[in-house]
Amino acid sequence: MLRPQANSVRELISLDGIWNFALATSVDLEADPAWTRTLPPTLQIPVPASYNDIFTEREIQLHVGWVFYQRQVTVPRRWGDARIVIRVGAATHSGRVYVNDTFVTEHHGGYMPFDADITELVKPGETFRLTIAVNNELTWETIPPGSVEVAADGTRKQVVRHDFFNYSGLHRSVQLCCVPTNHISDVKVVTDVAGTAGTITYEIETSQAVQGSKIRVTLVDEEGETIAEAEQAKGTLSVESVHLWQPGAAYLYQLRVQLLSASGTITDDEYSVSVGVRTVKVVGNQIHINDKPFYFTGFGKHEDYPVRGKGHDTAFMVHDFQLLKWIGANSFRTSHYPYDEDWLDYADRHGVVVIDETAAVGLNLAIIAGIHGGTHKPTFSPETCNDQTRENHKQALRELIARDKNHPSVVMWMVSNEPSAHEETTRQYFEPLTKLTRELDPTRPIAYANEKQAGPREDKIIDLFDVVCLNRYYGWYLFTGDLAAAEVGLEAELREWEQMYGKPIIMTEYGADTLAGMHTIGDVPWSEDYQTRLLEMTHRVFDRVDSVVGEHVWNFADFQTPTNFIFRVDGNKKGVFTRDRKPKAAARSLRQRWTSMKK
Ligand code: GCB
C-alpha cells in the first residue's frame, strides 16, 4: 500500500479534527451497532489522539473494549469518476470502518495504516456518515500480546505485558483520497553503490495491466535535473557521480513514476518516491553504512506525550528531532512499535538513522510490564503465545516492510523486543519469522532486543540474527547503587558476547529512572547525578569493547506506563528529557560525549 499523496491527479482530504465519540455499551460489537445511528455530540474528541487522557473520567481512561468515532464526510463533486479510498493511519489495536450502515473493512494491529476502496458506497457531491469502531483489547494472539481479566463484578481490566500505557484510539490521521482508477499500486526501490556510481533498482506495480498505457520513470536530483529515464515497470537506473545518502548528510533523489495514456499525452496517474542511495552491511563485528563503520548514538523512544498520549503530533515530532540534533544523536529506535510515517520521512530528509521495530513486545512471561516477576509458564505454548500469535507476528512483519521498505533512514529491522530467548520453544517460534523477514528484505540486517535472562550462554536464537542488540540495566536493576560492581559486570558480559559470537553489539537500552530536580552527592538512584554517572560508567565500558557499535539510552523522554504498579512514579522516568522535553543533567553529559565523538 502506498502512502497517500496529493499531486496533479491524486487528491487528499484530511478528516482530522473533532469527531463525535462514544464508548460501546457492550463487549459484543453487534449488540451495539452505533454505526447505524448518528452519535450525539455529548462526547467529542480530537483525531489524532489517544482518548484515554482527553477526558477526566476513569471509565474512559481505563476503558477496555470497543469505542466509536463518528463524523460526516462530504465527497467533492469534482471526484466524478475516480476511485475513492478511506485511509486510517492507525487504530489501536484494531479498527472497523463503516460507511453509513455498511461495514467496509477491518484491521488488526494498532500501529499500521489500512485503507479501503469505498467508491461503490459514496457519491461525489454527497455526504456520508463515517464511523470507525476501535478496540483496544490485547489477547495471547495479538501483537503485542496481553490478556483481559474479568473481576467478580464484571469489570474488565486489560493486563499488558509491556512497560507503556495502553493508549488507545485513532492515533494517526484519517484521510479521504481520490486515486485514479488505473493507478500505481506499489513502488519498490533498492539501491547499491559501486565506486562513484550508484544504482537504483525499481519495481512498479499497477492496478492492472492497463491496455496500451505506458509507464514513464524519471529520476530527478535535488537541483531538479533529470538524471535517468526509463519506460519499463522494472529496471535499474545508473547514477554516475552519485550523491550518497549519508547519516547526518542526507541527499534525496525523486523517482517520479507516471502512468500515461497510449498516446503518451495524458497522465492517468503519478507517484513520487524519495530515494536515498546508500548501502548497509554487517562486516565482521561492525555495521557499515556506505562501506564505512557506523557508530549509533541516540535513544529508544516512544510516541508518548502529555494529554494526547500516542496521538501523532508534528510539532512534538520536529522538536524531538531538534533535541536529537542538539544532543548529538545520529539515530533512534522505534521502540516498541512502528511510528507514524512522518518520522521516517523526516529522518530520510535529515539523515537520521532508524532501527525500525515491530509491535512484538512482551513475548516473555517472566517479565510483566518491564519488570521481572511474571509467571514461569512457558511463553510459547498452545495456552500462551501460540501459532496464531506467530501468524499475526508474520503479518506485522509483512506490513512493516511493505510500508517502510523504501526509507533510506531505516537500516535494520527489529523483529521483537525482549522475547524469552532463553526458552527452548522460542526458537521454533522465531525461525519462520527471521526466514520471512529475510525473504521480504534481503538488503537490511535483522535483530531482536535481548533481555538479560538470555545471557550469551542461555540465548537460543541469536544465530538467527545479524546484530546482538542488548537491553541491559547495569547499575539500575543489576548492582543497584553500586556503579563500581556494575562496571565490572557489564564489561564481563559484553566480552562474553563478543568472544562467543563475533557479531556487532548495539546496546539498545541502558539507563536509570531519574526524578528531574533531585540531586545527590553520592550514588543515590533516582537522582539526576546518578543517571549521569551511570551513563558515564557505561560509556567507559563501551569504549573498551571493540564490538560495541552503538549506544541507545533508554529513554529519550519520560513516558506514561500502566498506573496499577507502584514501581513507576507517574510513568517511567528513565528519560534524558522530561515528558515535556526539558533536559535532565545527563543531557549535557551525553551532548558532550556525542558531539565530540570521532567514530
Ligand atoms: C526494558 C523494556 C522497556 C522498559 C525498560 C525499563 O527492558 O524493553 O520497555 O521500559 O526495560 O525501564 O524497565
Side-chain angles (χ1 to χ4, degrees), residues 52-301:
N52 311 79
D53 293 348
I54 298 285
F55 303 98
T56 53
E57 290 83 356
R58 180 181 163 84
E59 195 201 344
I60 301 178
Q61 197 203 21
L62 299 179
H63 175 73
V64 180
W66 291 98
V67 298
F68 300 108
Y69 286 75
Q70 195 181 75
R71 60 164 286 167
Q72 302 290 317
V73 180
T74 304
V75 182
R77 197 195 309 265
R78 63 179 186 278
W79 288 10
D81 50 3
R83 198 171 154 259
I84 298 166
V85 174
I86 182 94
R87 205 234 198 195
V88 181
T92 312
H93 297 281
S94 65
R96 289 170 72 99
V97 177
Y98 301 86
V99 167
N100 297 321
D101 289 358
T102 309
F103 166 73
V104 171
T105 191
E106 70 179 331
H107 180 264
H108 299 278
Y111 306 96
M112 271 292 145
F114 57 101
D115 62 12
D117 185 334
I118 57 169
T119 319
E120 299 302 318
L121 298 171
V122 299
K123 283 203 181 69
E126 291 188 5
T127 298
F128 68 92
R129 187 176 65 243
L130 174 64
T131 310
I132 306 181
V134 182
N135 189 311
N136 65 351
E137 288 172 61
L138 296 172
T139 68
W140 284 118
E141 280 80 33
T142 55
I143 296 293
S147 49
V148 176
E149 283 176 0
V150 184
D153 67 353
T155 318
R156 284 152 43 88
K157 192 177 129 197
Q158 177 67 58
V159 178
V160 298
R161 310 211 60 83
H162 49 70
D163 186 36
F164 51 95
F165 191 84
N166 191 34
Y167 279 120
S168 316
L170 292 178
H171 286 153
R172 299 175 190 165
S173 289
V174 181
Q175 294 164 309
L176 190 70
C177 319
C178 163
V179 182
T181 314
N182 295 334
H183 59 275
I184 300 155
S185 51
D186 200 11
V187 181
K188 181 183 174 191
V189 296
V190 172
T191 66
D192 205 353
V193 183
T196 56
T199 55
I200 298 164
T201 301
Y202 68 89
E203 211 175 312
I204 296 156
E205 278 175 26
T206 55
S207 51
Q208 51 181 291
V210 195
Q211 288 294 315
S213 79
K214 291 186 183 168
I215 286 178
R216 182 189 292 156
V217 179
T218 316
L219 186 73
V220 179
D221 69 11
E222 284 192 359
E223 280 67 53
E225 295 293 322
T226 298
I227 302 296
E229 283 176 302
E231 296 201 338
Q232 295 76 32
K234 276 181 180 193
T236 299
L237 306 175
S238 300
V239 187
E240 295 306 318
S241 309
V242 67
H243 293 278
L244 294 179
W245 186 94
Q246 300 276 22
Y251 189 96
L252 294 177
Y253 294 89
Q254 294 301 316
L255 187 81
R256 184 169 174 223
V257 181
Q258 288 167 288
L259 260 189
L260 303 175
S261 62
S263 64
T265 49
I266 299 169
T267 305
D268 283 342
D269 192 15
E270 69 174 73
Y271 195 87
S272 281
V273 176
S274 298
V275 181
V277 180
R278 57 106 185 93
T279 58
V280 187
K281 287 178 206 137
V282 171
V283 181
N285 66 352
Q286 301 294 307
I287 297 176
H288 285 188
I289 298 182
N290 299 330
D291 294 322
K292 282 198 236 76
F294 179 71
Y295 192 90
F296 295 73
T297 59
F299 301 92
K301 286 187 95 286

Side-chain angles (χ1 to χ4, degrees), residues 276-347:
V277 180
R278 57 106 185 93
T279 58
V280 187
K281 287 178 206 137
V282 171
V283 181
N285 66 352
Q286 301 294 307
I287 297 176
H288 285 188
I289 298 182
N290 299 330
D291 294 322
K292 282 198 236 76
F294 179 71
Y295 192 90
F296 295 73
T297 59
F299 301 92
K301 286 187 95 286
H302 265 299
E303 289 184 300
D304 173 276
Y305 313 99
V307 183
R308 57 190 319 138
K310 294 205 173 305
H312 179 56
D313 183 308
T314 47
F316 263 108
M317 182 192 79
V318 174
H319 186 56
D320 281 5
F321 273 106
Q322 297 312 308
L323 294 178
L324 289 172
K325 188 173 162 199
W326 173 83
I327 207 168
N330 60 18
S331 55
F332 66 92
R333 172 169 65 120
T334 72
S335 41
H336 292 309
Y337 37 81
Y339 293 1
D340 189 284
E341 290 149 290
D342 280 351
W343 282 93
L344 302 181
D345 284 346
Y346 199 93

Side-chain angles (χ1 to χ4, degrees), residues 162-164 302 333 336 361 367 369-371 417-418 449 451 471-473 476-477 509 513 554-555 559 561 568 572 574:
H162 49 70
D163 186 36
F164 51 95
H302 265 299
R333 172 169 65 120
H336 292 309
V361 51
I367 305 177
I371 302 286
N417 185 65
E418 301 192 348
E451 196 273 337
N471 296 352
R472 289 295 183 278
Y473 289 92
W476 187 253
Y477 297 123
E509 289 185 21
D513 279 280
W554 190 255
N555 187 286
F559 58 92
T561 54
R568 297 283 184 244
N572 186 308
K574 294 195 184 71

Side-chain angles (χ1 to χ4, degrees), residues 5-18:
Q5 205 168 76
N7 56 34
S8 69
V9 285
R10 293 177 171 230
E11 281 189 66
L12 285 182
I13 293 179
S14 167
L15 301 182
D16 294 351
I18 298 292

